[in-house]
Amino acid sequence: MIQRREAPVFAAVLAAGKGTRMRSNRAKVLHTICGVPMVNYAISALQPVGPEQILVVVGHQAGEVEEVLPPEVVPVLQEEQNGTGDAVRVALEAVDEEEGILLVVNGDGPLISESTLIELVERHRSAGVGATVLVAELEDATGLGRVMEDAGVVRIVEERDATEEEKEVRLVNLGLYAFELSEIRHALEMVGTENDQGEVYLTDALEIIGRKSRAVTFRLKNLQEANLVNDRAQLAVAEEIVRRHILDAHMRAGVTVRDPVSTHIEATVEIGRDTVVLPGTFLRGETKIGSDCVIGPSADLLDTVVGDGALVEHSVGRGAEVGAGASVGPFAYLRPGTVLGEVSKVGAYCELKNTQVGAGSKVPHLSYIGDAEIGEGVNLGAGTITANYDGKDKHRTTIEDGVFTGINTNLIAPITIGENAYLGAGSVVNKDIPAGKMAVGMPARVIRDAPGKASEDGAGGRSRGGKKKDQGH
Ligand code: UD1
Ligand code: CA
């Protein structure tokens, strides 16, 4: 008996295939589109349909595929990839219910929308048939199953099994179906492997259901969604569409994107309003940009958090944090663990790694700073370098508030430069420098109090928090 109203929906995502035409060592569904593995697009579109369960049929590189799946889905293993019908059989083994709808989605259709899936299920419910299949009329039907519909029977012929006449048909199967659970269970018991590939075709089950309980087609409205991915050229087409969707969403939410053609923003990225993204910019992974920022041109930020009002131009960020109002670049490289305080500055040809820079501090030119803690209101002269690695171990450098270093200062870690100390140009510092002292030479030795310091204890003097004027180093 066919259940019409509010029967539960179970979803199966077919993702066990290798994707031979990708010519890849990686399973097809793991290839990313705007930073997200392809299979996750189908899953996201399914969630609003409200299925009881989302089963994902994995097989080729099952472990790797399982790793990218969201926790709420249930992976089921298809040991051998014997075809789409076999994949659905495997999924059905995980469904205990007798009555309900099985929504089948190919894992390689990343552009399918939630509204199409919702409508497919609604149509299926109201038609009261055994199966409903999503179809589209395409200019170029190459490689897809051709759809022939006649008196409640939907017959699909794979291109490789098609006659010349059947190949002329441009109505294609998009690999998306709503089945009555009892019907698909029964039909799959009867399907053989008499086809060019010797596989169990899900499409044969559709034909069997049609003869028994009628099947209908449902036409896709937005043909963009018909972009399935079988090779890398199709991957690029799909990515271009998704990329533009992401950009449009940011623009509608109040972000200015100067040149959408050259701007790449991954699906996971967040951007605040009134931020301007300039050409040639890549924002990837868990990157979060505040409001009123200027990002780019040519910023490449991965897993990087940028505070409100910051500026990042011609620079690379990897797992870094940029404080509100800070300025980065041009040509800075912020490596993992870099945390820039508010209104700080990292300028041209500077590389920072695992380093905290206090509020208002400046690393303006030609520096490598690794494994360091820099206080507030510090100014590092051009070419200040931390020697953090002695060939065996990494050591830390501590630069306290208000320190000033001259050009070409080398800091041999582990080392601490005390508050308000002043290092002369070209110093090679291999011992801690007390607060408020001036040191010069190689190795650097203390010669007197730092300029502008009157005290013997070395404290006080310059103000904290970067109020000092940029001295142009
Ligand atoms: C299938 C359809 C075809 C349709 C096309 C749309 C069949 C027989 N043909 O062909 O009519 O036009 O999809 O994309 O169904 N998969 C498994 N296990 C398997 C085989 C495949 O999980 O044993 C998965 C694949 O990972 C993929 C999906 O099923 O995500 C479709 O498989 P694929 O081999 O690409 O099917 P097509 O030959 O393209
Ligand atoms: Ca396919």
Side-chain angles (χ1 to χ4, degrees):
M1 199 195 73
I2 293 166
Q3 192 122 352
R4 301 220 174 114
R5 296 274 161 231
E6 299 318 302
V9 175
F10 299 86
V13 179
L14 309 190
K18 180 166 188 243
T20 309
R21 283 164 285 177
M22 293 297 279
R23 300 196 186 281
S24 175
N25 295 329
R26 236 178 334 148
K28 175 164 73 179
V29 294
L30 286 175
H31 283 259
T32 58
I33 291 178
C34 295
V36 174
M38 201 187 304
V39 64
N40 290 316
Y41 284 88
I43 294 169
S44 304
L46 275 170
Q47 274 152 343
V49 179
E52 300 286 307
Q53 257 187 328
I54 298 178
L55 305 155
V56 180
V57 182
V58 296
H60 186 72
Q61 295 182 347
E64 288 92 329
V65 175
E66 278 183 39
E67 243 165 64
V68 306
L69 297 177
E72 63 274 20
V73 309
V74 180
V76 291
L77 183 66
Q78 184 193 24
E79 305 255 2
E80 269 176 73
Q81 284 72 64
N82 293 328
T84 49
D86 183 62
V88 171
R89 261 183 208 158
V90 171
L92 284 170
E93 282 167 23
V95 178
D96 294 329
E97 275 72 358
E98 300 286 317
E99 300 294 334
I101 293 170
L102 182 72
L103 182 57
V104 175
V105 181
N106 274 359
D108 58 2
L111 289 159
I112 285 299
S113 69
E114 56 180 74
S115 57
T116 297
L117 294 177
I118 289 170
E119 220 184 320
L120 177 71
V121 171
E122 281 171 0
R123 289 297 184 92
H124 176 77
R125 284 192 202 277
S126 58
V129 292
T132 306
V133 55
L134 185 72
V135 299
E137 178 123 13
L138 300 183
E139 288 290 319
D140 180 8
T142 311
L144 295 169
R146 308 300 209 279
V147 179
M148 268 75 62
E149 195 177 6
D150 183 32
V153 178
V154 179
R155 197 165 62 85
I156 294 170
V157 183
E158 295 308 295
E159 185 166 78
R160 58 205 305 164
D161 302 309
T163 62
E164 286 310 310
E165 202 184 326
E166 286 167 338
K167 279 183 192 157
E168 296 297 307
V169 173
R170 289 191 292 119
L171 193 65
V172 301
N173 170 25
L174 295 174
L176 257 120
Y177 319 76
F179 293 110
E180 287 305 306
L181 266 178
S182 54
E183 298 282 342
I184 184 66
R185 274 194 214 279
H186 172 75
L188 279 173
E189 281 168 19
M190 330 224 335
V191 176
T193 55
E194 298 81 43
N195 52 61
D196 188 53
Q197 300 188 87
E199 289 184 350
V200 181
Y201 282 180
L202 182 57
T203 47
D204 289 351
L206 181 69
E207 189 175 336
I208 292 168
I209 294 172
R211 295 192 195 288
K212 183 168 168 280
S213 317
R214 288 182 65 232
V216 291
T217 57
F218 170 53
R219 281 199 189 221
L220 181 68
K221 300 207 173 75
N222 175 3
L223 286 185
Q224 229 179 29
E225 297 179 31
N227 281 285
L228 305 170
V229 176
N230 287 305
D231 59 29
R232 309 246 188 173
Q234 291 171 336
L235 179 71
V237 171
E239 181 152 50
E240 185 56 23
I241 295 167
V242 173
R243 191 175 68 83
R244 188 62 209 221
H245 286 170
I246 293 170
L247 290 169
D248 287 347
H250 285 297
M251 290 189 267
R252 283 199 204 95
V255 176
T256 295
V257 178
R258 283 280 170 233
D259 180 27
V261 172
S262 71
T263 304
H264 297 255
I265 300 177
E266 289 187 350
T268 41
V269 171
E270 294 172 18
I271 310 177
R273 61 193 282 169
D274 287 317
T275 283
V276 179
V277 181
L278 296 176
T281 290
F282 292 76
L283 303 177
R284 302 188 287 133
E286 301 301 312
T287 292
K288 288 185 179 49
I289 311 285
S291 53
D292 292 302
C293 296
V294 179
I295 307 296
S298 299
D300 176 1
L301 306 180
L302 173 70
D303 301 334
T304 291
V305 177
V306 179
D308 296 344
L311 182 92
V312 181
E313 56 174 326
H314 292 287
S315 291
V316 174
R318 299 280 179 266
E321 259 178 63
V322 175
S327 153
V328 176
F331 315 116
Y333 180 21
L334 308 181
R335 291 170 52 198
T338 297
V339 179
L340 307 185
E342 289 186 11
V343 209
S344 62
K345 177 188 165 74
V346 173
Y349 309 106
C350 292
E351 174 179 338
L352 274 68
K353 184 212 75 172
N354 192 21
T355 286
Q356 287 82 50
V357 175
S361 290
K362 297 187 172 93
V363 188
H365 337 268
L366 301 156
S367 283
Y368 169 65
I369 309 293
D371 305 307
E373 177 125 24
I374 299 176
E376 299 184 357
V378 168
N379 193 320
L380 300 186
T384 295
I385 306 280
T386 54
N388 59 324
Y389 185 47
D390 59 14
K392 279 214 308 278
D393 300 306
K394 301 279 167 70
H395 301 285
R396 291 197 66 81
T397 297
T398 303
I399 300 173
E400 294 182 350
D401 293 349
V403 165
F404 180 97
T405 69
I407 59 157
N408 275 341
T409 299
N410 297 333
L411 304 166
I412 318 289
I415 197 165
T416 297
I417 311 299
E419 202 175 330
N420 292 321
Y422 192 107
L423 302 175
S427 328
V428 176
V429 189
N430 60 0
K431 283 199 198 75
D432 291 354
I433 302 295
K437 294 297 178 189
M438 176 168 185
V440 298
M442 186 178 96
R445 63 207 154 73
V446 173
I447 52 167
R448 56 168 184 257
D449 286 346
K453 301 288 165 311
S455 62
E456 7 10 311
D457 67 6
R462 254 178 261 140
S463 68
R464 295 163 68 145
K467 299 265 157 42
K468 201 157 52 80
K469 273 180 73 189
D470 185 351
Q471 311 207 347
H473 287 271

